[in-house]
């Protein structure tokens, strides 16, 4: 018999007394290679290039710069409003169904075309001189159409 601390003893399982062997209820797990996957996500921050805001192509009181829209606005403002609304992609029924259509159209055009101003400026202009605002929108749409 080998000495209890000899290297040969470490290679063999410990001896169990007869009839007292441990019960094994499952098969040993197969040897699996352990792999490690590393995913690197790089998020590039979007670069925002802000164009400088521009002025309206014509002033609020520049009605005589386009006598056609002025005449239409004076004689039949709802016809001009439905035309402006249609040209802006809102359809001809929008002014009839929405009580604040003129204000909404002015804000939409100002934002789309990056024109200087504020909601307060838009509100005041529409409340004080809606016909001037309507004619200005028609002129601005003509300007954008010629430019683009």
């Amino acid at each position: 018999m080998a000495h209890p601390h000899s290297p040969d003893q470490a290679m063999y399982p410990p001896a169990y007394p007869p009839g007292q062997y441990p019960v094994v209820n499952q098969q040993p797990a197969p040897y699996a290679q352990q792999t490690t996957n590393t995913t690197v996500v790089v998020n590039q921050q979007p670069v925002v290039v802000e164009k400088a805001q521009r002025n309206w192509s014509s002033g609020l009181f520049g009605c005589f710069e386009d006598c056609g829209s002025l005449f239409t606005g004076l004689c039949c403002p709802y016809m001009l409003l439905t035309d402006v609304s249609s040209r802006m992609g809102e359809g001809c029924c929008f002014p009839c169904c929405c009580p604040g259509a003129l204000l909404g159209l002015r804000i939409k055009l100002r934002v789309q075309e990056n024109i200087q101003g504020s909601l307060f400026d838009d509100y005041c202009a529409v409340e004080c001189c809606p016909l001037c605002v309507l004619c200005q929108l028609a002129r601005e749409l003509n300007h954008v159409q010629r430019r683009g």
Side-chain angles (χ1 to χ4, degrees):
M1 183 166 184
H3 187 278
H5 296 293
S6 70
D8 292 339
Q9 184 70 22
M11 293 175 29
Y12 299 107
Y16 294 100
Q20 293 185 2
Y21 296 107
V23 177
V24 177
N25 293 329
Q26 62 185 16
Q27 293 290 324
Y31 177 74
Q33 284 186 332
Q34 211 175 19
T35 58
T36 303
N37 292 331
T38 303
T39 303
V40 178
V41 178
V42 178
N43 288 330
Q44 184 174 2
Q45 296 297 323
V47 177
V48 177
V49 178
E50 224 177 277
K51 291 186 340 185
Q53 289 187 324
R54 66 177 182 87
N55 291 323
W56 291 91
S57 64
S58 62
L60 183 61
F61 302 109
C63 297
F64 290 102
E65 294 177 25
D66 179 9
C67 292
S69 65
L70 173 62
F71 179 75
T72 307
L74 285 172
C75 295
C76 191
Y78 283 104
M79 188 171 118
L80 184 58
L81 184 57
T82 56
D83 177 61
V84 166
S85 179
S86 294
R87 290 171 61 190
M88 290 181 66
E90 296 301 326
C92 61
C93 294
F94 176 65
C96 302
C97 301
C98 181
L102 184 59
L103 178 61
L105 292 171
R106 180 178 170 91
I107 293 168
K108 179 180 179 179
L109 185 62
R110 184 176 55 77
V111 170
Q112 279 182 343
E113 293 300 319
N114 201 26
I115 298 172
Q116 288 179 359
S118 68
L119 295 175
F120 182 74
D121 293 341
D122 296 332
Y123 176 78
C124 290
V126 168
E127 287 298 310
C128 294
C129 195
L131 185 58
C132 295
V133 168
L134 182 57
C135 291
Q136 184 184 37
L137 289 176
R139 290 192 307 273
E140 194 65 35
L141 287 172
N142 291 339
H143 171 76
V144 169
Q145 190 176 17
R146 283 191 305 266
R147 189 184 70 193

